[in-house]
Amino acid sequence: MRSKEQIRKMIDSGRAVLGIEFGSTRIKAVLIDEDKSPIASGSYDWENQYVDHIWTYDMEEICKGLQGCYGALVKNVEEQYGVKLVKLGAMGVSAMMHGYLAFDGKDELLVPFRTWRNTITGEASEKLTELFSYHIPQRWSIAHLYQAILNGEDHVKDVRFFTTLAGYIHWKLTGQKVIGSGDAAGMFPIDIEMKDYNSRMLDQFDELVADKGFPWKIRELLPKVLLAGEDAGYMTEEGAKLLDPTGTLQAGTPMCPPEGDAGTGMAATNSVAVRTGNVSAGTSVFAMAVLEKDLTKPYEEIDLVTTPAGDLVAMVHCNNCTSDLNAWVGLFKEFAESFGVDVDMNKLFGTLYNKALEGDADCGGLLAYNYFSGEHITGFDEGRPLFVRSPESKFNLANFMRVHLYTSLGALKTGMDILLKKENVKLDRMMGHGGLFKTKGVGQRILAGAIDTPVYVMETAGEGGAWGIALLADYLVNKEEGESLTDYLDNKVFHDAEGSGMDPDAGDVEGYEKFMERYTKGLTIERAAVDAGI
């Protein structure tokens, strides 16, 4: 670890690297040193708005948030090291993937920003999936554009450029209309061999809308695709003033390609190599698996994106994970407090999670569903949290806790089984991060049993996506000739990272399969509860 004086000199000489990520509720800035370690941070809280049936963020709020998180970072730097942030070694911007920001020939915004959260593109998603024989999720940018065409929206004829949130901010800072491969894959399908938008599908889209007479071709509207490590421009004078209105920050900072939050999450968890991936498990859960080859056919349950280096990634995203489990732990807290017991929540979670490991591998015949909301992978638009048992079930605390841990990953396993069993995807390891893995060894073991794959958990998740995009910016300026992103992360970032790996237990794997047989059959119970409106 470097001394405070060493860090101060490094910042003063302009060698520190900055990453900024726009999340759903928080914008975060992280500054890293030459050891790739976070040395300062700043944040800005914000919320999306529901305006005219559209989830959006106001453009002024985007600018205000960018300046707010950077200003908080500058203050943190001055408080810690007594030095002003005048020059940066490199910088990168990341944000929530997908969505729709469309501009005219004068670079004016045509309609309010349509975020990933909107589910207003169902018809477009379905028709494009059929046209391309490739799954196009509702949140993808091309689905938004085509839905606007289907809706007959007047602005479409005037579109001359559309991009994602990260692409937009990067454009404002550099003047460059470019995008990182991972984020680009959420705009339009990527040809993995060419590392660019799929040419056949571009042609198909143009043919699809030819009768509309638009004065553009789809290729002309999309930002240029760049891979990690490629030059994405430099911060302009205007960009420096946008980021730092005080005028202290100098222009000229090298910028890495802007990325989506999925790509930066892969970088932050060292999950960009083929046959690796990561699972983020908290309120919701998603898995990212880096593939050796394309899938044999499209699946509605699986989104295909890429790593920042352009390798194909299968993404399984589920709306529900630990909310119901947390509710039951809260009930046990209330029970204990009714007896006058002062409850430490960390101890309570740890005790109950570890109790689950004493349960039967198949949860003793118990069944539960954690559906606080709908779950697209199993075909539900809304959900009902349920706990079900038969008279023959082994109903005890260990099995009760185990079944709620199992069901937290039930929908995810449904999607992962498509990859592992139908497509025969091979995975050497998965990285687990998020609240489910906080109690050491429990969530890790449950996931390993669910996907029959070794699962690793790091001692720290670093600073998340903001740290991940800072690493990609550092890779831009500090990679050696011919050094891949995988080698850079392995050798320069995670070479001495502390963590633990766990191989799947054969009994857990067999028990989880038995549980999933009940889970699949019992979906009729969940459907009955939803249909009954109770």
Side-chain angles (χ1 to χ4, degrees):
M1 180 178 289
R2 295 175 185 267
S3 68
K4 185 167 286 191
E5 178 60 22
Q6 287 175 317
I7 294 174
R8 189 193 71 78
K9 289 182 178 179
M10 188 206 65
I11 295 172
D12 201 35
S13 63
R15 301 197 307 275
V17 173
L18 175 64
I20 295 180
E21 179 157 283
F22 282 66
S24 299
T25 58
R26 186 172 66 152
I27 306 168
K28 186 163 187 177
V30 169
L31 198 69
I32 65 173
D33 63 13
E34 291 166 314
D35 293 331
K36 327 306 178 193
S37 300
I39 54 175
S41 64
S43 64
Y44 179 90
D45 293 332
W46 70 337
E47 287 287 349
N48 52 193
Q49 303 165 295
Y50 194 59
V51 181
D52 296 329
H53 307 291
I54 299 288
W55 287 106
T56 188
Y57 293 90
D58 185 80
M59 303 304 280
E60 290 186 7
E61 186 67 7
I62 293 172
C63 177
K64 186 177 177 182
L66 177 68
Q67 295 171 352
C69 79
Y70 179 77
L73 173 83
V74 168
K75 183 178 180 181
N76 187 242
V77 168
E78 292 182 355
E79 289 174 348
Q80 286 195 80
Y81 308 107
V83 62
K84 290 186 178 297
L85 202 53
V86 177
K87 185 179 179 183
L88 294 167
M91 180 182 166
V93 176
S94 172
M96 303 164 281
M97 292 176 70
H98 323 315
Y100 181 70
L101 280 155
F103 300 87
D104 64 16
K106 297 180 180 179
D107 294 337
E108 296 291 332
L109 186 71
L110 289 166
V111 290
F113 173 30
R114 298 172 183 180
T115 77
W116 64 272
R117 190 177 182 183
N118 290 286
T119 54
I120 57 177
T121 63
E123 183 182 3
S125 171
E126 184 177 332
K127 289 184 175 181
L128 290 177
T129 296
E130 182 179 357
L131 175 69
F132 297 151
S133 295
Y134 192 99
H135 179 46
I136 305 296
Q138 284 204 47
R139 60 184 180 273
W140 280 22
S141 305
I142 192 61
H144 280 279
L145 175 64
Y146 187 47
Q147 190 65 54
I149 294 171
L150 292 174
N151 295 345
E153 296 184 37
D154 186 60
H155 83 271
V156 176
K157 69 180 187 307
D158 299 319
V159 176
R160 295 298 179 271
F161 174 59
F162 72 117
T163 190
T164 64
L165 179 56
Y168 168 72
I169 298 163
H170 182 92
W171 173 34
K172 292 290 111 178
L173 294 176
T174 66
Q176 300 296 311
K177 295 178 178 179
V178 300
I179 193 168
S181 176
D183 208 13
M187 290 197 70
F188 195 93
I190 295 291
D191 182 323
I192 300 304
E193 297 299 323
M194 300 303 296
K195 309 294 186 186
D196 203 349
Y197 301 116
N198 188 294
S199 181
R200 173 181 63 83
M201 296 180 192
L202 291 169
D203 290 340
Q204 287 178 310
F205 187 85
D206 283 335
E207 291 172 11
L208 178 67
V209 303
D211 63 323
K212 304 295 183 182
F214 296 127
W216 48 255
K217 299 292 186 183
I218 187 62
R219 287 174 174 82
E220 302 165 2
L221 307 186
L222 290 159
K224 181 181 179 181
V225 180
L226 296 176
L227 302 179
E230 292 188 333
D231 175 21
Y234 293 81
M235 189 183 297
T236 62
E237 292 284 353
E238 294 79 5
K241 289 177 183 177
L242 173 64
L243 183 61
D244 181 14
T246 70
T248 305
L249 181 65
Q250 294 179 6
T253 301
M255 299 279 292
C256 72
E259 265 300 346
D261 49 3
T264 57
M266 285 185 274
T269 56
N270 194 22
S271 304
V272 302
V274 170
R275 294 173 63 118
T276 72
N278 71 92
V279 172
S280 176
T283 304
S284 63
V285 60
F286 67 85
M288 311 284 289
V290 188
L291 306 178
E292 296 177 279
K293 59 183 180 180
D294 206 343
L295 302 182
T296 60
K297 66 177 184 177
Y299 295 92
E300 188 176 344
E301 300 90 343
I302 296 170
D303 300 348
L304 292 176
V305 292
T306 77
T307 69
D311 291 311
L312 187 64
V313 177
M315 180 178 186
V316 180
H317 185 276
C318 309
N319 293 336
N320 303 281
C321 187
T322 60
S323 293
D324 194 38
L325 178 59
N326 293 343
W328 282 109
V329 174
L331 186 70
F332 288 123
K333 174 179 181 286
E334 186 179 345
F335 169 78
E337 288 176 341
S338 68
F339 282 88
V341 178
D342 188 20
V343 178
D344 178 278
M345 288 305 291
N346 287 330
K347 185 177 181 180
L348 180 61
F349 269 102
T351 299
L352 292 174
Y353 271 43
N354 278 291
K355 188 70 177 178
L357 299 184
E358 300 174 16
D360 296 311
D362 69 344
C363 307
L366 304 182
L367 179 60
Y369 293 98
N370 62 334
Y371 293 6
F372 260 63
S373 64
E375 195 58 77
H376 74 101
I377 285 182
T378 49
F380 287 86
D381 292 328
E382 55 181 297
R384 298 290 186 277
L386 292 176
F387 170 66
V388 183
R389 65 187 176 104
S390 72
E392 294 78 27
S393 300
K394 297 177 183 177
F395 184 39
N396 55 45
L397 181 59
N399 282 336
F400 183 83
M401 290 306 302
R402 194 175 185 106
V403 78
H404 282 92
L405 281 165
Y406 272 28
T407 201
S408 294
L409 300 174
L412 184 79
K413 179 169 171 57
T414 302
M416 288 299 294
D417 278 353
I418 294 173
L419 296 175
L420 300 173
K421 295 178 180 179
K422 292 185 179 181
E423 291 287 334
N424 296 312
V425 168
K426 305 300 180 186
L427 294 172
D428 296 328
R429 62 173 169 83
M430 292 290 275
M431 186 72 68
H433 56 107
L436 184 71
F437 304 102
K438 189 173 181 181
T439 299
K440 190 171 183 178
V442 180
Q444 185 176 9
R445 177 173 165 179
I446 300 298
L447 176 61
I451 61 176
D452 195 12
T453 301
V455 174
Y456 287 74
V457 175
M458 306 298 290
E459 291 297 328
T460 174
E463 294 288 340
W467 182 53
I469 191 64
L471 293 177
L472 293 176
D474 187 84
Y475 174 65
L476 170 71
V477 295
N478 290 320
K479 67 181 182 301
E480 298 175 18
E481 186 174 352
E483 184 179 33
S484 69
L485 178 60
T486 296
D487 289 342
Y488 163 84
L489 292 173
D490 281 343
N491 300 329
K492 295 180 178 177
V493 182
F494 294 98
H495 56 284
D496 59 355
E498 295 183 6
S500 59
M502 184 178 291
D503 291 330
D505 177 85
D508 290 344
V509 174
E510 182 181 358
Y512 213 117
E513 292 297 333
K514 290 181 179 178
F515 163 76
M516 285 303 294
E517 290 177 11
R518 285 198 308 279
Y519 183 93
T520 303
K521 290 178 181 178
L523 288 170
T524 56
I525 306 170
E526 178 75 15
R527 176 64 61 195
V530 172
D531 290 346
I534 57 174

